[in-house]
Amino acid sequence: MQNAKDTFYITLRTRLAAVNPARNITLRSVSRPGILVQDAEAPMIRPLLDAFALSWTGLQADLQLPAILAEMTCEIQYSTAGTAANAGLDRGRALEELDYEVLKLLYPYSAQKMNYTQNPAAAMETMVFWSEPEFGPIVSERDCLSRTAKVTVFAFQDQGES
Amino acid sequence: MSTSALTPLRALPPVGRTVRAYFAPVDRVHRLPTLFDPSVNGQFSLDAPPAPWIDLGWIENFVRKSTSKFGGLVTGCPSTTQYQVRETVDASVSFRFKAWSKLSMALAAGSQHMNLIVPAAGGAANGSGSKGVAPVNLAAGSTATFLALAASDAATFAAGGLVTVDVDYTAQTGFVGSGVYAAYVSSTTAVNSDPDYIRRVSFNVARVASVSDGANPGLQLAQPLIAGVPAPGMRVQPICGFVDREGGSFFQEWSALFVIPGEQGERILFHYPRLQAVSGASESTTPLVPPLERIALGAAFRALPVTDSNDGEQVVCFRSFLPSFATLV
């Protein structure tokens, strides 16, 4: 299942670099596309603004198929306070831009599963595929607007995959 | 010397999760189904059924019905039923295959199930596939999992491709197909004397795992051929998928075994020596997360009779129960 999670994240990160090259974050002195996996970063008191944070929550598995079908819930959280140049008055527009990017990142709704523990990464036998996003309500806190989009990611377990 | 005493349990209700399906071919020419003997193989490993049974995995919506009819012999005034007779013996079974494969599709469709041979250039379009590329000959040394070919022929295939392996159609009539009788040819004109016809309907198909050249050129298969070691005269053609049709005059016939493993180690087995489809191709869906749906193959069969050699009775199904350890019976 970790290969599927890695594939989903890398796919979205690659797509984000193409959809909006300007959306970058700097973490540990490295500038990179503005998307991260929460369980792979140091805990943060407040979310990074204007970036996408993935967190894996639910997990189900169908064991009665020729290969195990894992069904994992990924929550994509993002927040914005708008831009300083506009005194944050554009935070609604900024959130809409993030919403739109989520749609662009997720389509097409599948990717070749890769094993990123190898270098170079190796293509596996099956595809990772996912649902369309289910957008939660806007949450307004102080000067920030936030939203969580929930996606269900599916992956068949490849032979020999741990 | 004595053994430790068993502490028996009262008979418990079986608790099972789902049903596993196994199928085996019927020898249509000699009318011989594949018989499953629960006294010999009842506790077989579910992942490794005894030959020639083929594991088709867990199935769902398993429903079996007895449709036998009973009549009463009524006498007297006022009339009362004095005896009962079985007027008909009939049974049906239906379920859904979770996984799509050559076998599950063919079983569910019930009639000829065709391989989509990679088409030759310029062939006329046809719903079940047009004229295919030329087959290649097998060389000596082929096995059920390796097809020995001339190096130049092997080079025309690629790892990951699909192949059908069977003999040319040379005016045979009757049941055709290696390993499994896949169709019935009534006349050469019915199949246009197509030399590829048997490979088109054959169950002797596999996926290519790798292509080897050099000293031992050929195709390493990812799965064994259902007909085993290729017979002389068999040839190989690439295929790209499968097709079945609503219609067709041929009825496939299979022996079937359904197993419900109980949580306490008991096992319930349903053996249908002869099943023929009573419905055409159909699918149904199970929602995952909208709009994603898992698509299953619907299958429904009628059970046909065999004679039980223990007492000469005509029966259509055997239900066996292997109790769990230590329960009273």
Side-chain angles (χ1 to χ4, degrees), chain A residues 81-156:
Chain A
T83 60
N86 289 305
L89 299 182
D90 59 350
R91 59 188 182 280
R93 288 176 174 275
L95 188 72
E96 192 281 333
E97 192 176 345
L98 288 158
D99 291 340
Y100 178 68
E101 285 176 18
V102 168
L103 292 171
K104 298 282 280 183
L105 300 187
L106 291 173
Y107 185 82
Y109 302 111
S110 63
Q112 180 72 49
K113 186 159 61 172
M114 304 290 289
N115 182 351
Y116 288 101
T117 63
Q118 300 178 23
N119 191 12
M124 303 184 75
E125 303 294 331
T126 57
M127 303 286 286
V128 180
F129 56 99
W130 48 87
S131 66
E132 294 167 20
E134 180 188 331
F135 288 102
I138 294 175
V139 176
S140 180
E141 189 179 5
R142 297 191 189 91
D143 58 339
C144 290
L145 296 179
S146 306
R147 196 197 298 280
T148 300
K150 195 179 289 186
V151 178
T152 306
V153 179
F154 297 86
F156 285 104

Side-chain angles (χ1 to χ4, degrees), chain B residues 267-302:
Chain B
R267 187 170 281 192
I268 302 169
L269 305 106
F270 306 104
H271 174 37
Y272 293 86
R274 298 176 60 203
L275 284 183
Q276 289 191 358
V278 287
S279 70
S282 67
E283 311 81 36
S284 54
T285 60
T286 302
L288 293 173
V289 175
L292 289 171
E293 296 174 323
R294 183 167 56 75
I295 305 158
L297 289 163
F301 301 92
R302 164 171 283 149

Side-chain angles (χ1 to χ4, degrees), chain A residues 62-66 69 71 129-132 134 152 154, chain B residues 17-18 56-59 98-99 288-292 294:
Chain A
D62 188 341
L63 306 177
Q64 292 170 352
L65 296 172
L69 176 61
E71 182 178 333
F129 56 99
W130 48 87
S131 66
E132 294 167 20
E134 180 188 331
T152 306
F154 297 86
Chain B
R17 293 171 196 269
T18 186
L56 284 176
W58 301 107
I59 56 174
K98 291 184 172 187
L288 293 173
V289 175
L292 289 171
R294 183 167 56 75

Side-chain angles (χ1 to χ4, degrees), chain B residues 7-77:
Chain B
T7 305
L9 294 168
R10 296 174 66 180
L12 301 170
V15 177
R17 293 171 196 269
T18 186
V19 185
R20 190 122 170 198
Y22 304 86
F23 285 82
V26 172
D27 181 345
R28 305 292 295 275
V29 173
H30 302 98
R31 299 181 182 176
L32 291 174
T34 301
L35 290 177
F36 179 81
D37 188 335
S39 67
V40 176
N41 290 316
Q43 289 290 10
F44 70 92
S45 164
L46 293 182
D47 293 327
W53 292 95
I54 301 162
D55 181 8
L56 284 176
W58 301 107
I59 56 174
E60 57 192 0
N61 293 18
F62 179 73
V63 176
R64 63 188 215 101
K65 288 181 184 166
S66 165
T67 48
S68 299
K69 290 184 181 155
F70 298 80
L73 188 61
V74 180
T75 61
C77 183

Side-chain angles (χ1 to χ4, degrees), chain A residues 34-46:
Chain A
I35 186 167
L36 56 93
V37 181
Q38 283 190 331
D39 62 23
E41 301 292 347
M44 299 175 193
I45 297 170
R46 295 194 63 187

